């Protein structure tokens, strides 16, 4: 007990109510005040190592503890100078923010539903290291599906014009894995405003069957159908890292928002930005079209976090706590 008392004294806390004091810090740090309140007591929160350090200790804020498959949580570690999060063996980078470090953790379509642990490793300005084990529960997403009937190929159809295009997926995968300095700022915005002639024609994660076959796969983005030529806007600040005609997604623009967050916009009729261009949230990057493998004018919008494709619509409605 004496050791514990000295440890607390070094932190400026008393034996009278360390939990209450820490709880107060947590509530002050978290405007919503809910993620922190349910967490464990002192030993879990201050997992030792940085003995002798001064100043406030890192405090975790998790926006949401029951993410869906294909969802994401916003994670902040206040008072930390660096941190990474790990779940299901994947590492999500966190980037400097106004109060410490922050970022997103994505959950894939195949992540198993049920309890899981979000592990966070953080360090502070004087070399203290801290580890947190945050309980979360992944919820099963009820996927939508689309049964597609296609006519058999026409043997008399002329060959497609122009040189054959390489499938773009390997290059997209490589781009989605990159981590550059953070540019994004909350909130994220929808590429094409819904309403009128613009509607969601395909949800993220949707499964498809062709000509009566089994429903398989998961749609990697959100399809928004809109009249040809409708402006398409980037969901957040960033740098254009790809802008070209591709085999599947047609005219495609990829924007790197930094901190491991990237978005892509496919089937455009025209692209209005080139690689290297800095864009601001809501800036027009192209126009709705039906290029590539597409059955009608729409934008295919993907959002990736540390290489994991997630449902962009969930980033817009506040249901994930950010
Ligand atoms: Zn699509």
């Amino acid at each position: 007990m004496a050791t514990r008392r000295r440890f607390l004294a070094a932190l400026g806390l008393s034996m009278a109510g360390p939990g209450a004091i820490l709880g107060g810090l947590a509530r002050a740090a978290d405007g919503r005040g809910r993620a922190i309140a349910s967490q464990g007591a002192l030993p879990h929160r201050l997992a030792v190592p940085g003995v002798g350090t001064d100043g406030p200790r890192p405090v975790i804020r998790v926006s949401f503890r029951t993410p869906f498959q294909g969802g994401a949580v916003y994670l902040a570690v206040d008072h930390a100078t660096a941190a990474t999060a790990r779940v299901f063996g994947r590492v999500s980078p966190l980037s400097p923010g106004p109060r410490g470090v922050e970022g997103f953790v994505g959950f894939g379509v195949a992540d198993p539903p049920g309890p899981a642990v979000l592990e966070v490793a953080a360090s502070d300005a004087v070399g203290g290291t801290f580890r947190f084990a945050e309980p979360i529960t992944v919820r099963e997403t009820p996927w939508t599906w689309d049964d597609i009937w296609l006519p058999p190929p026409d043997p008399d159809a002329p060959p497609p014009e122009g040189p054959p295009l390489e499938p773009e997926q390997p290059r997209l995968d490589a781009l989605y894995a990159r981590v550059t300095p953070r540019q994004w700022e909350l909130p994220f915005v929808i590429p094409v405003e819904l309403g009128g002639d613009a509607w969601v024609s395909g949800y993220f994660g949707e499964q498809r069957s062709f000509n009566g076959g089994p429903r398989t796969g998961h749609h990697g983005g959100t399809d928004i159908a809109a009249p040809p030529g409708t402006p398409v806007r980037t969901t957040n600040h960033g740098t254009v890292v790809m802008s070209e005609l591709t085999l599947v997604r047609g005219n495609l623009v990829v924007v790197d928002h930094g901190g491991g967050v990237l978005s892509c916009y496919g089937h455009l009729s025209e692209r209005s930005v080139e690689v290297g261009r800095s864009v601001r949230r809501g800036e027009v990057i192209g126009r709705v079209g039906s290029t590539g493998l597409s059955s009608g004018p729409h934008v295919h919008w993907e959002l990736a976090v540390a290489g994991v494709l997630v449902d962009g619509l969930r980033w817009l409605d506040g249901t994930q706590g950010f």
Side-chain angles (χ1 to χ4, degrees):
M1 188 59 95
T3 303
R4 182 174 168 81
R5 188 173 290 118
R6 275 200 298 277
F7 180 58
L8 291 169
L11 297 175
L13 305 176
S14 74
M15 291 296 284
I21 293 169
L22 286 170
L25 280 176
R27 276 190 296 278
D30 179 6
R32 290 177 291 272
R34 59 199 162 105
I36 305 295
S38 64
Q39 289 174 22
L42 187 61
H44 167 74
R45 191 155 281 296
L46 302 177
V48 192
V51 177
T53 62
D54 296 321
R57 302 299 171 116
V59 174
I60 295 263
R61 290 182 290 140
V62 181
S63 69
F64 187 53
R65 288 181 180 275
T66 52
F68 277 104
Q69 294 168 309
V73 301
Y74 164 86
L75 172 67
V77 190
D78 292 345
H79 314 306
T81 53
T84 56
R86 178 186 292 269
V87 67
F88 298 122
R90 300 186 302 262
V91 173
S92 296
L94 303 177
S95 306
R99 285 153 56 173
V101 297
E102 58 188 349
F104 299 97
V105 178
F107 295 85
V109 294
D111 283 349
V117 174
L118 182 58
E119 300 172 27
V120 180
S123 55
D124 66 11
V126 290
T129 56
F130 304 84
R131 292 188 177 278
F132 304 85
E134 302 294 320
I136 56 167
T137 300
V138 176
R139 283 191 280 173
E140 189 167 4
T141 295
W143 306 113
T144 56
W145 67 86
D146 192 8
D147 296 335
I148 298 167
W149 297 87
L150 296 173
D154 178 0
D156 298 325
E161 292 180 11
L165 295 165
E166 290 294 317
E168 65 268 26
Q169 196 61 53
R171 294 170 59 208
L172 279 178
D173 290 343
L175 286 173
Y176 288 166
R178 61 193 267 166
V179 180
T180 59
R182 172 213 170 148
Q183 298 188 57
W184 59 262
E185 291 175 7
L186 292 174
F188 286 68
V189 300
I190 196 163
V192 174
E193 203 65 49
L194 301 179
D197 292 330
W199 50 286
V200 175
S201 57
Y203 284 91
F204 173 85
E206 190 165 271
Q207 300 198 290
R208 289 172 175 174
S209 90
F210 292 93
N211 295 345
R215 291 169 182 157
T216 58
H218 289 282
H219 186 218
T222 302
D223 289 340
I224 303 174
T230 302
V232 175
R233 302 173 188 279
T234 177
T235 186
N236 214 304
H237 314 316
T239 303
V240 176
V241 292
M242 189 170 172
S243 175
E244 64 187 60
L245 180 62
T246 62
L247 181 70
V248 177
R249 293 169 182 79
N251 272 314
L252 174 68
V253 170
V254 181
V255 179
D256 181 1
H257 306 291
V261 181
L262 290 99
S263 60
C264 102
Y265 311 84
H267 309 303
L268 304 174
S269 61
E270 62 180 74
R271 296 171 277 112
S272 49
V273 290
E274 292 303 323
V275 170
R277 163 86 171 265
S278 286
V279 289
R280 304 294 294 171
R281 175 175 52 208
E283 188 172 333
V284 175
I285 50 90
R287 294 187 178 275
V288 169
S290 191
T291 54
L293 294 184
S294 168
S295 57
H298 74 286
V299 60
H300 169 88
W301 170 40
E302 293 181 11
L303 192 62
V305 180
V308 178
L309 289 172
V310 295
D311 183 351
L313 289 179
R314 292 192 190 279
W315 290 51
L316 309 177
D317 58 10
T319 54
Q320 299 185 130
F322 62 86

